Amino acid sequence: MNKVNLSLITCLLAGLLSACSGDDGKDGSNGQAGQNGVEGSAGKDGNAGLASLIDQQVLNMGDNHCFFGGVAVHSGVDQNSNGALNNNEINQTNYVCQPSPLTANGAKLPYTALRKDIQNGSVEGSVFEIRNGGYGSDMVAHPSIKNQFYALTDRGPNASFTGDYGKGKKFPTPDYTPRIGLFELTATGKVNKLKEILLKRPDGTPISGLPNTSDLGGTGETPYTVEGQPVLVDQAQPFDQTHNPIKLDDYGLDGEGLVALSDGSFWVSDEYGPHIVHFDSDGKEIGRINAFSHDERVTINLPQEYEHRRANRGMEGLAITPDETTLVGIMQSTLYNPDKAVKALDITRIVTVNLKTKQIGQFLYKQEKAQNSNSGIVALSNTEFLVIERDGAFYEQNPEAMKRIYKINLEGASDLEQVAETTDLTQDPNLGLLVAGKTLEQTVLESGWDTLSAHAITPVSKSLVLDLVQEIAYPHDKLEGMWLIDNSRLAVLNDDDFATWSTGGVLEQKYLDAAKSKVDGNTLYLFENLTFDK
């Protein structure tokens, strides 16, 4: 721990230190004047007064008053005259806190190299580093240790590619296992990784990040190797649709949302199903939620319209209410409900799942710009949440980049599951609430939000809490994780995509700037003196 500024403590002590001595006794009265009068005797001294005491208490990292540690200076009167300042004698406490060691440049998360042998795009003779890494899809506070947080990876390094077997992704490490990392922020501003938890099937075997089959949410993405060949069940043998097909994984996750419960277990939401999967403290699956009623693994079903998630833009954020009864998930972008004709809109959905009653709620969120991304959510209360809204731009390449955090409130918003049917409003089992036979997405496309308002369908209210571009010229494209530390501090984390990118299907290093001089990396930023109750 850093040394506390002694000059501040010295000044504070000078103002607090004082001693209380007893009053002098009264002088005896003079004798009456006479020829040989004498003075009376001096009075006795008064009793000694009570002493004022000062006590210093060292505060460790994570303290509620001084997050990075410091000193609490207690003062009071020694009422029982035992020479020590007891707790019930303290009448004033002043704090001398260590300032935050984190600058606007943030703190880098540690990483190792998964691979560093792949040609770096079009840079002749250059190879790039695939980082392990990748802890930025979401982050969440440790339930009980104030300076620790968990962070989630997605499906592993990948990049868009179209090959002989259709559109898909190159997976330079197709055997990668998605995982949760436990990290610690130190008093010096350094981030340490304490452990990682590999995600596993119910039988304890590791999952992969490969796509699901179409029957359970897959959108036909083909996994390819670095060389552009399909990833097969047996890579040493040629493709055969029956005997050696393309390798898919119905337990595979493209994790994006993370919840850490007080019992040590986790919930993870993803972009494939979307699935919401419950893992125990060792990372083994113990429960699952999705929209597929035929999936025998499922304990609670989401509304069927969530089957129409846009590829790679599924349930990007996941939170739990403070009482740990209700999961709250937010979709990254507009559902393809009923199809991709509604792609370029500003309407996204929030779903609530009561884990005890299994009751489902649905709410609408109106984005600031069409096709923005809602990429994180964290609970302030059972009805109020912080939500990330961002675009996909790098600030150093586009000064109009947008990375913001809003406070939203479900109170006053329409729960789509509770809207009563009328002549115009009907509930469809596959498409959800309809207005005059059209999905809500079709309605916004054709006639705007005013039509929803005319039918008393109201989105959640929202107010701006933090504009990261304005505050620190936030350089990353994917702001995705939030760590709510306390009622005035918030840390955020970016998804660096394992420092892997592609241009035209060619793998390369991921850079922040057009000059390709700054490699992207998981970076923690801390914001203090925030107000969440406005």
Side-chain angles (χ1 to χ4, degrees):
M1 174 177 164
N2 291 345
K3 293 182 179 179
V4 177
N5 189 319
L6 294 179
S7 63
L8 291 179
I9 296 179
T10 301
C11 292
L12 182 60
L13 294 178
L16 294 173
L17 280 173
S18 63
C20 300
S21 58
D23 295 331
D24 290 336
K26 294 182 179 180
D27 290 337
S29 58
N30 292 331
Q32 292 183 350
Q35 185 173 1
N36 294 309
V38 296
E39 294 182 355
S41 59
K44 295 181 179 180
D45 288 339
N47 295 327
L50 299 175
S52 291
L53 298 180
I54 296 291
D55 183 50
Q56 297 182 39
Q57 176 190 357
V58 175
L59 304 176
N60 296 321
M61 176 73 183
D63 181 80
N64 289 334
H65 297 282
C66 297
F67 182 68
F68 288 97
V71 173
V73 182
H74 306 297
S75 62
V77 178
D78 187 12
Q79 298 286 353
N80 59 7
S81 301
N82 68 348
L85 187 62
N86 300 328
N87 288 338
N88 62 348
E89 296 172 338
I90 296 172
N91 57 34
Q92 184 176 351
T93 299
N94 292 273
Y95 297 95
V96 182
C97 298
Q98 289 283 7
S100 170
L102 296 180
T103 68
N105 294 322
K108 300 291 185 182
L109 268 61
Y111 66 89
T112 57
L114 283 170
R115 294 186 65 172
K116 45 184 176 182
D117 61 336
I118 301 174
Q119 169 73 24
N120 186 14
S122 61
V123 183
E124 190 65 32
S126 174
V127 295
F128 75 97
E129 184 176 65
I130 296 178
R131 295 180 174 178
N132 181 27
Y135 285 103
S137 289
D138 202 2
M139 71 187 305
V140 65
H142 188 290
S144 59
I145 304 176
K146 286 291 294 288
N147 65 318
Q148 293 183 7
F149 64 90
Y150 291 100
L152 176 72
T153 73
D154 59 23
R155 55 183 157 181
N158 67 88
S160 297
F161 178 75
T162 300
D164 294 340
Y165 295 82
K167 291 184 178 180
K169 299 282 186 180
K170 280 186 176 179
F171 288 82
T173 56
D175 58 348
Y176 181 82
T177 300
R179 60 202 65 188
I180 298 168
L182 175 62
F183 295 86
E184 178 181 64
L185 177 60
T186 70
T188 61
K190 181 181 178 182
V191 177
N192 295 324
K193 185 171 75 172
L194 303 181
K195 70 175 181 179
E196 59 183 15
I197 303 167
L198 302 185
L199 301 183
K200 308 172 189 70
R201 298 176 178 85
D203 64 5
T205 58
I207 71 169
S208 75
L210 296 177
N212 306 154
T213 61
S214 58
D215 194 42
L216 289 170
T219 52
E221 287 182 310
T222 300
Y224 291 93
T225 67
V226 169
E227 295 77 22
Q229 298 301 312
V231 175
L232 305 175
V233 171
D234 184 351
Q235 206 64 41
Q237 301 298 320
F239 169 78
D240 184 280
Q241 183 65 48
T242 302
H243 302 292
N244 194 30
I246 291 172
K247 188 176 183 180
L248 301 174
D249 186 358
D250 281 340
Y251 284 93
L253 287 179
D254 188 5
E256 296 294 345
L258 178 64
V259 162
L261 298 181
S262 57
D263 66 1
S265 66
F266 305 93
W267 284 93
V268 173
S269 68
D270 95 320
E271 292 192 319
Y272 279 150
H275 303 278
I276 309 175
V277 186
H278 194 191
F279 295 97
D280 68 15
S281 58
D282 293 323
K284 187 170 70 173
E285 179 176 337
I286 54 177
R288 182 177 289 253
I289 298 169
N290 63 34
F292 310 105
S293 57
H294 60 276
D295 188 351
E296 295 180 354
R297 302 170 297 178
V298 171
T299 54
I300 302 175
N301 280 119
L302 297 175
Q304 280 191 263
E305 53 264 40
Y306 285 85
E307 292 185 27
H308 304 292
R309 60 94 181 171
R310 176 177 169 182
N312 298 312
R313 295 199 175 202
M315 192 171 291
E316 190 79 5
L318 187 67
I320 190 84
T321 52
D323 60 9
E324 295 194 347
T325 63
T326 305
L327 290 171
V328 182
I330 188 165
M331 301 301 287
Q332 180 175 347
S333 298
T334 303
L335 297 178
Y336 279 2
N337 191 25
D339 53 43
K340 66 180 181 181
V342 300
K343 173 181 178 179
L345 294 180
D346 58 0
I347 177 174
T348 57
R349 295 185 183 232
I350 296 169
V351 63
T352 63
V353 182
N354 188 300
L355 298 172
K356 292 184 176 180
T357 66
K358 300 186 178 182
Q359 183 175 349
I360 302 293
Q362 271 202 86
F363 303 86
L364 297 180
Y365 178 100
K366 187 177 188 298
Q367 296 176 330
E368 298 299 299
K369 295 189 298 185
Q371 299 199 71
N372 263 0
S373 295
N374 291 122
S375 55
I377 185 169
V378 64
L380 297 172
S381 70
N382 285 351
T383 59
E384 296 175 306
F385 303 84
L386 298 180
V387 168
I388 294 173
E389 183 177 341
R390 63 167 178 84
D391 58 16
F394 296 91
Y395 175 71
E396 294 192 29
Q397 300 179 37
N398 180 359
E400 300 301 316
M402 177 181 164
K403 321 291 172 189
R404 295 178 183 173
I405 295 173
Y406 289 91
K407 177 184 172 182
I408 67 167
N409 196 333
L410 302 187
E411 288 189 342
S414 302
D415 182 349
L416 306 182
E417 297 294 309
Q418 301 299 321
V419 172
E421 294 190 278
T422 65
T423 303
D424 288 336
L425 300 177
T426 56
Q427 296 279 2
D428 184 272
N430 181 48
L431 302 175
L433 182 65
L434 304 180
V435 179
K438 303 282 186 171
T439 69
L440 302 185
E441 289 78 9
Q442 288 175 310
T443 301
V444 171
L445 175 66
E446 295 176 7
S447 56
W449 284 84
D450 287 345
T451 300
L452 298 186
S453 179
H455 287 85
I457 300 173
T458 305
V460 298
S461 60
K462 56 189 285 196
S463 59
L464 181 64
V465 170
L466 187 62
D467 185 326
L468 280 78
V469 170
Q470 185 179 35
E471 288 290 327
I472 60 169
Y474 189 80
H476 309 279
D477 61 330
K478 294 183 178 179
L479 170 66
E480 295 196 0
M482 289 185 289
W483 169 20
L484 182 62
I485 296 173
D486 53 34
N487 58 8
S488 66
R489 293 182 182 91
L490 180 74
V492 300
L493 186 63
N494 67 297
D495 182 2
D496 69 348
D497 293 311
F498 302 85
T500 303
W501 205 243
S502 73
T503 300
V506 178
L507 290 170
E508 61 185 359
Q509 195 84 77
K510 183 181 180 183
Y511 298 99
L512 297 175
D513 58 328
K516 298 185 176 182
S517 63
K518 301 176 182 178
V519 179
D520 195 9
N522 293 138
T523 309
L524 176 77
Y525 298 86
L526 175 66
F527 298 91
E528 300 186 280
N529 302 315
L530 299 175
T531 302
F532 301 133
D533 58 359
K534 61 182 179 180

